[in-house]
Amino acid sequence: MIPALGLVVGIVAGLLLQPSVPVWAQPYLPIAVVAALDAVFGAVRALLDGIFDDKVFVVSFLSNVIVAAFIVYLGDQLGVGSQLSTGVVVVLGIRIFSNVAAIRRHLFHA
Amino acid sequence: MTVGTDQRGRRLDASMTLLTEVMERPLDPGYAAAAARRAERGDTSRPAARSPLTLLTLVVVGVLLASAALQARGQTTAAKSERAQLVQEIQKLDGAAARLQQSNAKLQEQIEVERAQRLQQQAQGGLAQQVSRLGIATGALAVVGPGLVLQVNDAESVSDTSGVSDPRDDAEADDGRVLDQDLQLLVNGLWSAGAEAVAVNGQRLTALSAIRSAGLAILVDYRPLSPPYRISAIGDPDTLRARFSNGAGGRDLQYLKDNFGIRASITSSKRLSLPASSGLDVRHAVPEGGVPGAELKQSSSPTGSTTRSPGSASVPTSQTGHTGDRQ
């Protein structure tokens, strides 16, 4: 419950403060969001599995975001930025889907 | 999901380890490892879902989501409002240009009237006549008279697929489109058939007029036209029609009809009214031996940069000056 409140507080704060994203970081924002979502859904699943660990969550979140941004950066430098972004989105998307499926099984037993 | 193994104990999908990894182990293995460590230590407490660290990370995630959403929304609205602003500005300036053109025409008319009066008063009827004759030939005066209207339009295949109203919209070039050079040929044909004044879509042609294209739009005197193109020519309708049809212009028109499906019609009219050209202004010429202080050396030079001299008072026959480029 409290973690969910934290998420809500973060969203509200973001909407109210409207932090300006620096121009150089703008290409990485969407991919960072997908990576963050992956970490969050992984954490929820781990919580339901009963093996949640806050350090693992924080580290997986940070590393996900950083690695995803780095891959996009590398792709931009190599001229295949959009293709690598697609790759990242596909892989993280599959992970999000299977994690959400596991969460669904936990919650609804179906 | 169970996958069979071959005789040597290897998985059948061993060549797809990457995909297998993604599909079968979506959860970060770190969680399992941490749980195992806790179990080793004999720590049986519930996982720390409410730790400040988790909370902080989730706040960061929330901010990230919100700013990404704002970013995405901001981009579209910014582009939209910018476009709307540009459209508005174009419409405003279009309107202003039209108003200026109107007032220009009105003033021009006034000037003509007053000049005619002055010349009449000074009992120089001959001069007044000459001025009006030259004005007709050069396009400086609005004229009325019988004549021909030649209407040409893009081939049907073109007009069907594209918005007829705005030729600048459509990016695809097509054979069935009326080109600037087609209009040039037709206008030249009319001149050589004896037309005394010609206008395209209400743009009077002078010796300095240009018929050109920019993108897919045809410009006459730098003003874009949209199809159908109406070429109005003043002259005796019957002679004009016969000489046009038998001359080069008629042949060109037939060629365009036959090969590109361009639609054209010629109608006679008892009374056509062509406006004065708005693009005429005197840049170099001054009256000979007149006005002290004016640039006499230019007007008296034998090569003559004068654009119109009294000697060439006849109606232009074959020159439309469409190649004349003023820039």
Side-chain angles (χ1 to χ4, degrees), chain A residues 88-104:
Chain A
V88 170
V89 168
V90 166
V91 169
L92 292 180
I94 291 174
R95 266 172 57 144
I96 290 174
F97 260 104
S98 27
N99 278 333
V100 170
I103 294 168
R104 186 197 67 211

Side-chain angles (χ1 to χ4, degrees), chain B residues 57-123:
Chain B
T57 314
L58 281 169
V59 170
V60 172
V61 171
V63 171
L64 198 64
L65 286 177
S67 53
L70 284 177
Q71 178 82 18
R73 179 174 307 236
Q75 274 171 356
T76 55
T77 50
K80 255 185 217 158
S81 67
E82 215 163 284
R83 194 184 129 79
Q85 211 174 338
L86 283 176
V87 167
Q88 212 177 2
E89 202 162 321
I90 288 171
Q91 283 168 347
K92 206 176 74 184
L93 290 177
D94 264 352
R99 272 197 302 281
L100 286 175
Q101 210 179 330
Q102 266 174 6
S103 78
N104 191 19
K106 231 178 255 169
L107 290 173
Q108 195 87 40
E109 216 168 288
Q110 211 173 325
I111 290 173
E112 296 302 339
V113 169
E114 294 198 357
R115 186 169 60 190
Q117 274 175 359
R118 290 289 286 275
L119 286 174
Q120 294 290 357
Q121 277 170 8
Q122 290 170 0

Side-chain angles (χ1 to χ4, degrees), chain B residues 53-323:
Chain B
L53 204 57
T54 313
L55 204 60
L56 187 72
T57 314
L58 281 169
V59 170
V60 172
V61 171
V63 171
L64 198 64
L65 286 177
S67 53
L70 284 177
Q71 178 82 18
R73 179 174 307 236
Q75 274 171 356
T76 55
T77 50
K80 255 185 217 158
S81 67
E82 215 163 284
R83 194 184 129 79
Q85 211 174 338
L86 283 176
V87 167
Q88 212 177 2
E89 202 162 321
I90 288 171
Q91 283 168 347
K92 206 176 74 184
L93 290 177
D94 264 352
R99 272 197 302 281
L100 286 175
Q101 210 179 330
Q102 266 174 6
S103 78
N104 191 19
K106 231 178 255 169
L107 290 173
Q108 195 87 40
E109 216 168 288
Q110 211 173 325
I111 290 173
E112 296 302 339
V113 169
E114 294 198 357
R115 186 169 60 190
Q117 274 175 359
R118 290 289 286 275
L119 286 174
Q120 294 290 357
Q121 277 170 8
Q122 290 170 0
Q124 289 174 317
L127 198 53
Q129 235 172 20
Q130 198 183 11
V131 164
S132 71
R133 208 155 53 87
L134 288 176
I136 292 168
T138 56
L141 285 178
V143 290
V144 288
L148 282 186
V149 177
L150 172 57
Q151 181 160 327
V152 287
N153 200 350
D154 296 339
E156 230 157 297
S157 56
V158 180
S159 325
D160 284 349
T161 51
S162 70
V164 189
S165 56
D166 191 356
R168 282 166 289 187
D169 255 3
D170 200 352
E172 55 161 9
D174 212 317
D175 278 348
R177 216 173 271 288
V178 178
L179 302 177
D180 52 343
Q181 51 196 25
D182 302 338
L183 284 189
Q184 288 170 11
L185 288 171
L186 295 177
V187 167
N188 273 345
L190 284 170
W191 282 131
S192 68
E196 290 165 10
V198 176
V200 180
N201 281 22
Q203 294 290 328
R204 179 78 173 274
L205 296 182
T206 71
L208 294 173
S209 295
I211 300 178
R212 336 186 333 161
S213 62
L216 288 175
I218 296 180
L219 311 181
V220 170
D221 274 350
Y222 303 100
R223 231 164 262 129
L225 310 179
S226 55
Y229 306 101
R230 282 169 55 90
I231 308 174
S232 320
I234 287 185
D236 177 50
D238 296 333
T239 338
L240 208 53
R241 187 197 283 261
R243 288 177 64 182
F244 177 76
S245 302
N246 295 329
R251 274 202 308 279
D252 293 331
L253 187 59
Q254 198 56 46
Y255 182 81
L256 290 175
K257 272 184 184 169
D258 293 345
N259 291 284
F260 301 109
I262 281 171
R263 292 170 286 172
S265 63
I266 304 180
T267 47
S268 305
S269 174
K270 288 231 160 53
R271 186 186 149 89
L272 285 173
S273 162
L274 306 191
S277 167
S278 53
L280 281 181
D281 51 351
V282 180
R283 285 170 296 179
H284 301 293
V286 294
E288 199 171 356
V291 199
E295 298 166 10
L296 282 172
K297 69 174 193 293
Q298 282 204 2
S299 69
S300 59
S301 70
T303 50
S305 53
T306 55
T307 50
R308 277 158 256 126
S309 66
S312 66
S314 61
V315 169
T317 50
S318 66
Q319 79 268 27
T320 62
H322 55 74
T323 49

Side-chain angles (χ1 to χ4, degrees), chain A residues 2-3 6-7 10-11 14-15 21 26 29 33 36 42-43 45-47 49 51-54 56-58 60-61 94-95 98-99, chain B residues 22-23 26-28 30-32 34-35 38 47-49 51 53-55 57-59 61-68 70-71:
Chain A
I2 292 177
L7 190 62
I11 290 176
L15 289 177
V21 183
Q26 279 174 4
L29 196 60
V33 166
R45 181 186 176 181
L47 190 67
D49 282 352
I51 54 172
F52 180 76
D53 188 284
D54 55 351
V56 175
F57 170 52
V58 172
S60 76
F61 166 70
I94 291 174
R95 266 172 57 144
S98 27
N99 278 333
Chain B
V22 169
M23 297 296 291
L27 191 58
D28 202 314
Y31 287 116
R38 264 206 308 276
S51 75
L53 204 57
T54 313
L55 204 60
T57 314
L58 281 169
V59 170
V61 171
V63 171
L64 198 64
L65 286 177
S67 53
L70 284 177
Q71 178 82 18

